[in-house]
Amino acid sequence: SYPSHKEDLLTEEASVSLSSALGTNAVVVAGVHFDRIDRHGIERVIENSRLLTKRIIARLQDGTKEGKP
């Protein structure tokens, strides 16, 4: 990880959420790059990452209920 890259903050939060919600180990890999992103932009990236994680969890839980892998 490079000093100016903070993807690990997003991936750690997502993997912990996925693991907790699904009761299994989870690995999340991401790469994010925006030139000259401001604080508001960073907050939106974090918000969208959290929203996507919730949607992934919901989709996987729905699949589990239907007997799908």
Side-chain angles (χ1 to χ4, degrees), residues 10-62:
L10 299 174
T11 57
E12 181 177 0
E13 183 175 309
S15 64
V16 168
S17 294
L18 286 160
S19 180
S20 177
L22 302 173
T24 189
N25 293 332
V27 176
V28 177
V29 179
V32 180
H33 178 82
F34 290 96
D35 287 325
R36 296 179 291 278
I37 191 169
D38 61 11
R39 181 169 297 282
H40 177 70
I42 293 169
E43 289 169 359
R44 291 200 57 205
V45 168
I46 293 169
E47 178 183 325
N48 286 331
S49 175
R50 289 175 177 157
L51 176 62
L52 180 58
T53 300
K54 288 177 184 176
R55 292 178 80 178
I56 291 168
I57 290 168
R59 178 66 63 96
L60 290 172
Q61 287 176 334
D62 285 346

